[in-house]
Amino acid sequence: MPDAPLLIIPVESQVREMDAKLLLASCAVERGYRVVIGSRAYVHFAMAELPRGVYAAKSMRGLSKLMFRLIRELGHDIIAWEEEALVHPPPEVFYPLRLSPGTLPYVSHIFAWGEENRELLAGYPHLPKGMPMHLTGNPRGDMLRPELRAYFDDDVRALKQQYGDFLLINTNFTDVNPFQPGLGLFAPSTDPTKPPPMGQAGKGMPRAFAEGLLAHKQSILDDFLAMMPALEQALPGVTLVLRPHPSENHAVYQELARRCSRIVVSHQGNVLPWLLACRALVHNGCTTAIESYAMGVPSVTYLKTFNTEYDLDFQGLPNRLSVQCRTLDELIASLKDIIENQEAARTSAERDALIGHYITARSGRLACERILDQLDAIYRREGSLPLPPLPVRLRAWLHTRLRSLAKRRKHEKPGNYHDHRFPRLSTDDVARRIEKLGRTLGRFGSVGVRTRSEHLFEVFAKPRTEQ
């Protein structure tokens, strides 16, 4: 088979994406691919120096238009999937928020999580004609499968030993409680006489929808801040582990924990071992509830503040897969019942069919393998990568270098947002994750890793003498 190109895998949120994308990288190396994986920002800084390859984008927003253009002009190709596929607003809101007619023409192939995702993307009015779309599933879906559970065993044992019986409370209030002000639905206004400008989370969203969502999310955040001390009082002997969204400001939760003896705030590592170790998940419209259902862990959604437009039309999948509680008394009673009766997730044929519509490759061949089947068919042939004229490549090289120098300064400031989302990883840590994936699946003995540059790693096939 002809040589495979370099596969470039950017990771934006380390705790959410890294394990799944290392699984994809390891499967790819077994097939003869070379892989560069690491921080999305630092992948972009290095794009001008990387050999021509295939860049796996996590979204297709208008914010990526310039970078996508430069990637293509450097001679790389772009494949993409929608990282936020499982929880999304109605199409008329989703399309301007998550897709862009200026960005999509730079994408060569789209990979869908499931049938629902494929139908949604195929309905985009500005989808380039003839855009190939592949129904493969997603590497994050692979990490939910039973054969991958043992990957988390060490972490699950450590969490149970540290926290005993605990509830996991997940928050997703970046819209109103962002890590940095500009990341929310609205950015701070410099002119008090004018409406605040849209923030990163709201760019592309209709303003009326965003204003309603802002008020709705603020009310739910207030509900959760009042709920947690009440749960501590009602559930003696149970620790409440509060896990904020990666893009949230943790200060409000840390202040709450200082006033409560059994509330702990932690954002350590992937959420999946936390799910496997906890007694139940408490959330409101959180993607983690989908992961919880897939892994057989009970979840309860607290819907004291309820709006059909936001809680069902937008966040319907996680809420429909959970026990729904409209009052604090209902919530406490449901959690007591789950804890006392050692309940697992409340499955049903209807819920199984629902999640199956959103996530394909829940059994059979891994989504990673299905993605690589497509990449083999597309890229293992001469001339499969774009080759712009030399002047275009030189101009893109210079533009990318200058852009990287300017942006890198922001990422080197202490306490920056990048370090919050992508804490520093050692090569040994990445190697341990790959070794653990291999031990779980009985594979990857030939896969090695080395540091390429800051926050970037090369995953490669080790020489036979080292295997």
Side-chain angles (χ1 to χ4, degrees):
M1 185 178 285
D3 289 344
L6 177 71
L7 182 57
I8 304 163
I9 306 178
V11 177
E12 186 172 55
S13 175
Q14 186 190 114
V15 297
R16 182 174 67 172
E17 302 168 37
M18 190 67 179
D19 291 331
K21 288 182 174 177
L22 280 175
L23 176 61
L24 175 61
S26 300
C27 291
V29 166
E30 283 191 333
R31 295 198 185 200
Y33 287 80
R34 298 162 296 146
V35 178
V36 169
I37 185 171
S39 155
R40 179 172 177 263
Y42 282 75
V43 165
H44 291 173
F45 297 158
M47 284 305 303
E49 281 71 50
L50 293 177
R52 289 166 61 222
V54 179
Y55 174 94
K58 65 177 288 295
S59 63
M60 295 159 277
R61 296 188 73 182
L63 296 169
S64 298
K65 179 181 175 181
L66 172 59
M67 198 65 224
F68 277 25
R69 193 197 83 203
L70 293 173
I71 289 170
R72 287 296 297 263
E73 289 180 351
L74 286 166
H76 305 283
D77 210 4
I78 300 174
I79 64 169
W81 54 70
E82 173 51 63
E83 201 75 40
E84 306 295 339
L86 300 182
V87 180
H88 62 79
E92 64 274 13
V93 178
F94 173 83
Y95 290 149
L97 179 67
R98 298 296 304 180
L99 301 176
S100 165
T103 300
L104 270 164
Y106 296 112
V107 175
S108 295
H109 292 262
I110 294 176
F111 292 79
W113 282 70
E115 189 58 48
E116 193 277 344
N117 183 217
R118 181 166 66 175
E119 292 170 358
L120 177 69
L121 296 174
Y124 181 52
H126 305 292
L127 189 73
K129 188 176 181 179
M131 171 68 77
M133 199 172 300
H134 309 285
L135 182 61
T136 57
N138 188 274
R140 283 175 57 198
D142 285 343
M143 299 304 298
L144 306 176
R145 291 171 48 146
E147 59 265 46
L148 266 297
R149 302 276 166 82
Y151 175 75
F152 302 108
D153 281 352
D154 293 342
D155 294 328
V156 171
R157 278 192 293 270
L159 291 171
K160 286 182 175 180
Q161 184 174 3
Q162 182 173 1
Y163 297 110
D165 279 346
F166 71 92
L167 296 177
L168 184 65
I169 302 174
N170 258 43
T171 68
N172 60 337
F173 301 117
T174 307
D175 292 339
V176 295
N177 181 42
F179 180 79
Q180 293 175 340
L183 295 174
L185 280 172
F186 294 94
S189 178
T190 56
D191 184 348
T193 65
K194 296 181 179 178
M198 304 299 285
Q200 185 169 314
K203 283 183 179 176
M205 188 179 288
R207 191 171 189 94
F209 186 92
E211 289 172 345
L213 182 60
L214 181 78
H216 185 67
K217 286 285 189 179
Q218 184 60 59
S219 181
I220 298 171
L221 173 57
D222 294 341
D223 293 342
F224 268 59
L225 293 175
M227 169 198 79
M228 286 180 274
L231 289 185
E232 184 187 40
Q233 292 295 316
L235 303 171
V238 178
T239 300
L240 307 179
V241 176
L242 198 159
R243 186 181 172 91
H245 188 278
S247 298
E248 275 195 79
N249 185 337
H250 297 185
V252 65
Y253 305 121
Q254 290 163 345
E255 175 58 32
L256 179 68
R258 278 192 284 272
R259 303 196 306 268
C260 302
S261 61
R262 283 185 287 110
I263 294 178
V264 178
V265 179
S266 178
H267 190 252
Q268 173 190 347
N270 193 318
V271 71
L272 301 185
W274 290 89
L275 283 173
L276 292 170
C278 76
R279 300 301 298 274
L281 168 72
V282 181
H283 73 100
N284 178 293
C286 187
T287 303
T288 308
I290 305 168
E291 298 165 323
S292 176
Y293 185 85
M295 300 179 88
V297 178
S299 63
V300 180
T301 180
Y302 186 39
L303 300 172
K304 180 182 177 183
T305 297
F306 181 80
N307 181 302
T308 299
E309 182 178 22
Y310 300 119
D311 294 310
L312 293 182
D313 296 343
F314 185 167
Q315 300 173 154
L317 181 60
N319 287 336
R320 286 186 171 100
L321 293 175
S322 305
V323 176
Q324 298 179 21
C325 297
R326 298 291 183 91
T327 69
L328 185 58
D329 287 342
E330 282 183 22
L331 177 68
I332 291 170
S334 291
L335 290 172
K336 283 182 175 179
D337 189 40
I338 289 168
I339 292 168
E340 291 169 2
N341 294 306
Q342 304 282 315
E343 282 192 20
R346 297 178 186 177
T347 60
S348 68
E350 181 182 358
R351 285 176 171 174
D352 286 345
L354 180 62
I355 195 172
H357 188 53
Y358 281 77
I359 305 177
T360 198
R362 295 188 66 215
S363 61
R365 301 179 73 246
L366 295 173
C368 288
E369 301 290 6
R370 302 178 196 212
I371 290 169
L372 291 166
D373 288 345
Q374 297 297 331
L375 298 188
D376 284 346
I378 299 162
Y379 294 108
R380 284 187 183 268
R381 53 185 174 80
E382 289 295 326
S384 59
L385 295 177
L387 185 59
L390 181 59
V392 173
R393 282 180 281 149
L394 290 174
R395 183 186 66 203
W397 181 89
L398 180 61
H399 192 159
T400 305
R401 291 283 293 159
L402 292 174
R403 181 180 183 276
S404 298
L405 288 172
K407 284 187 166 287
R408 191 160 188 153
R409 293 192 187 100
K410 297 180 182 179
H411 288 77
E412 291 172 349
K413 294 179 181 178
N416 62 74
Y417 183 49
H418 173 268
D419 290 349
H420 176 71
R421 299 201 76 180
F422 199 97
R424 193 166 295 276
L425 280 174
S426 70
T427 306
D428 286 345
D429 181 56
V430 177
R432 280 192 293 270
R433 294 188 191 206
I434 292 173
E435 188 276 332
K436 192 160 57 169
L437 284 167
R439 191 168 66 244
T440 302
L441 294 175
R443 299 174 59 174
F444 307 145
S446 64
V447 178
V449 63
R450 56 181 167 241
T451 298
R452 179 182 175 88
S453 59
E454 188 176 11
H455 297 299
L456 290 189
F457 305 90
E458 292 183 7
V459 186
F460 62 93
K462 294 187 289 190
R464 289 188 179 277
T465 54
E466 297 181 22
Q467 295 179 23

